[in-house]
Amino acid sequence: MLGGIFGATNGGLSSVASIAFAVFFAVFMQSIQRGAWDHMLDNVVNFYYGYVQVQSKDYFDNPSIDEAMTWNEQIESSMGANPEIQGVAPRLESFALASTGDETTGVLVVGTRPAPESALTHLEERLVAGKYWDGEDDTGALVAVGVAEKIGLQLGDTLILISQGYRGANAAGKYAVKGLLKFGSPDLNKQMVYLTFPTASWFFATEGVATSAAIQIKDKTDEPTVTQWLQTQLDTTAYAVIPWQEMIPDLVEAKMLDAAGNNLVLAVLYLIISFGVFGTILMMTRERQYEFGVLMGIGMQRWQLGWMVWMEIIFLGLLGVAMGMLLSFPLVYYFQQNPFDLSAMGQEAVATYEKFGMEPILPAALDADIFLQQAVIVFWVTTLLAVYPYLKIRKLAPVSAMRS
């Protein structure tokens, strides 16, 4: 019976080919899109924020050091009970006036722990001169190159910081410049100064508090689970557990907009393919009326005949899906292992990506659900198109069909 849909009309093979092309194009396009966004999220989210942060209840709306949360080793160690949490980087963040000689500029002072911060944001890898901290008792400062250029700082120079400490305390200190950092973002290059967490605690006159704690998780897909778990472990009247989506809403909106545009293209593609497949089904139904009449004449029930035709159409669709997957898999795998290098597009493209702290590459995502999604779409499209021959079979008069 399967010969009917291919033998009765030459459109069967062309329909399989068109479905295969649609699946090939859809899989490749979605793999590149998802891979690019995954790469972007890893770069931007782990650039500073982390996939999850713990803050005081009021800090997100009023980011002042006076809204810092209580923080101690007991709270930090309790988070280690979750195997999905790889590390915790507590921070003390506030603005200060930086100066050397007669030059001054405003900076963001971040006190953090050397090992967890480097594991999360790869801070040590951003050093372009000098050395990273030797440990938490290191009192040196790591300064962004833009800050250093603006006020004329060199390695080994003394950086003077003046700010307002915790609960109105005076904050002033002198720190040797231990290293220079370079960020992809020009804005960060112009304002970042890092101290170790104990040094920053002394500078801001704090004890046992942190403005935020960035959580490093093993698998980003576990972020909702980790967020929910932290909410059950912490006092939600004093602490807020904030996922990256709330910290960077603009990025979420951009991703949704891009996905909507991608889905629109796929919808148009599958709509065009559907017309081609429907043409094949239309011709098949017309050319096989005699066959249908004979089968009904020898006792086949209408529902059995409709079921048979549905199976043939589904087979046609799934054969096209299989061919499309076989064609797309090697290409997607290749570009997963060898991402598009956008540096070939020129320095402007590289500079644009580096501005957001991203590598100028576009890797493909080799996710099973991308392939499975196309099979599901084709299944429902062909099932919907199979309604037409089923309706024709319901109204078919066997005698008239055999005479046609």
Side-chain angles (χ1 to χ4, degrees):
M1 289 301 174
L2 288 174
I5 199 165
F6 295 108
T9 176
N10 293 326
L13 291 177
S14 63
S15 293
V16 171
S18 62
I19 291 172
F21 168 76
V23 171
F24 170 82
F25 182 78
V27 167
F28 184 69
M29 186 170 69
Q30 286 193 303
S31 296
I32 292 296
Q33 183 198 40
R34 183 177 297 184
W37 274 106
D38 286 347
H39 179 69
M40 182 185 297
L41 289 174
D42 283 337
N43 277 265
V44 174
V45 173
N46 286 330
F47 192 64
Y48 184 74
Y49 300 95
Y51 277 95
V52 185
Q53 277 198 16
V54 176
Q55 301 176 355
S56 74
K57 193 70 176 177
D58 300 320
Y59 183 79
F60 189 75
D61 295 323
N62 181 25
S64 165
I65 196 170
D66 290 337
E67 300 294 346
M69 61 184 173
T70 301
W71 191 260
N72 52 49
E73 291 184 2
Q74 182 179 358
I75 296 173
E76 188 171 338
S77 61
S78 67
M79 295 182 181
N82 190 322
E84 296 302 324
I85 295 179
Q86 282 189 312
V88 181
R91 295 169 177 159
L92 271 171
E93 304 154 290
S94 190
F95 289 96
L97 187 67
S99 70
T100 180
D102 297 329
E103 302 294 331
T104 61
T105 187
V107 297
L108 175 63
V109 177
V110 179
T112 187
R113 291 187 173 161
E117 186 68 39
S118 189
L120 178 67
T121 63
H122 308 289
L123 186 64
E124 187 172 5
E125 297 175 14
R126 303 186 190 282
L127 278 171
V128 292
K131 293 176 58 180
Y132 197 62
W133 296 304
D134 297 322
E136 293 198 9
D137 58 348
D138 196 322
T139 59
L142 302 181
V143 181
V145 291
V147 175
E149 289 174 3
K150 188 169 184 179
I151 59 178
L153 276 173
Q154 302 291 332
L155 283 176
D157 287 352
T158 299
L159 173 68
I160 301 173
L161 295 175
I162 301 173
S163 181
Q164 179 175 300
Y166 188 60
R167 303 300 189 204
N170 290 326
K174 297 189 297 183
Y175 306 96
V177 178
K178 188 178 181 75
L180 298 178
L181 303 166
K182 185 175 182 180
F183 298 93
S185 168
D187 290 337
L188 294 182
N189 273 329
K190 295 175 182 177
Q191 63 177 337
M192 301 302 292
V193 171
Y194 284 85
L195 302 173
T196 61
F197 193 81
T199 302
S201 296
W202 180 88
F203 175 69
F204 290 115
T206 64
E207 184 177 354
V209 300
T211 53
S212 64
I215 311 298
Q216 183 184 12
I217 57 179
K218 290 182 179 179
D219 189 341
K220 61 188 175 187
T221 59
D222 293 324
E223 175 267 307
T225 305
V226 172
T227 299
Q228 187 176 10
W229 182 83
L230 287 170
Q231 289 172 339
T232 62
Q233 297 297 308
L234 298 171
D235 180 6
T236 53
T237 62
Y239 296 90
V241 182
I242 304 175
W244 69 270
Q245 295 92 335
E246 294 183 27
M247 291 184 284
I248 324 174
D250 292 345
L251 194 61
V252 177
E253 292 177 5
K255 183 180 180 181
M256 291 175 62
L257 183 63
D258 188 45
N262 182 63
N263 291 336
L264 180 61
V265 172
L266 291 181
V268 172
L269 174 66
Y270 276 114
L271 183 63
I272 295 172
I273 299 304
S274 297
F275 279 110
V277 175
F278 182 70
T280 299
I281 294 172
L282 195 67
M283 289 186 288
M284 176 271 294
T285 305
R286 183 174 181 82
E287 293 178 10
R288 296 177 68 190
Q289 287 195 50
Y290 176 80
E291 177 188 335
F292 294 157
V294 171
L295 291 172
M296 292 174 65
I298 62 176
M300 179 175 278
Q301 299 293 320
R302 293 177 188 271
W303 70 267
Q304 292 176 316
L305 187 56
W307 174 260
M308 180 191 72
V309 173
W310 179 80
M311 288 291 291
E312 291 180 2
I313 296 171
I314 293 299
F315 179 81
L316 179 147
L318 295 183
L319 181 60
V321 168
M323 290 178 60
M325 288 181 178
L326 288 174
L327 290 171
S328 61
F329 180 83
L331 192 64
V332 172
Y333 179 78
Y334 175 81
F335 283 111
Q336 184 202 38
Q337 301 298 317
N338 305 277
F340 285 107
D341 187 355
L342 300 178
S343 60
M345 297 174 62
Q347 289 301 315
E348 289 187 7
V350 174
T352 300
Y353 274 78
E354 287 184 346
K355 180 179 179 181
F356 297 98
M358 296 167 51
E359 297 176 89
I361 61 173
L362 288 179
L366 190 64
D367 295 340
D369 64 299
I370 295 177
F371 293 84
L372 181 61
Q373 186 183 49
Q374 310 315 312
V376 171
I377 291 173
V378 171
F379 174 82
W380 285 112
V381 167
T382 51
T383 295
L384 181 63
L385 296 176
V387 171
Y388 173 78
Y390 176 75
L391 293 176
K392 295 293 288 186
I393 290 170
R394 281 180 59 88
K395 297 178 181 180
L396 189 68
V399 176
S400 299
M402 285 187 286
R403 289 177 178 173
S404 62

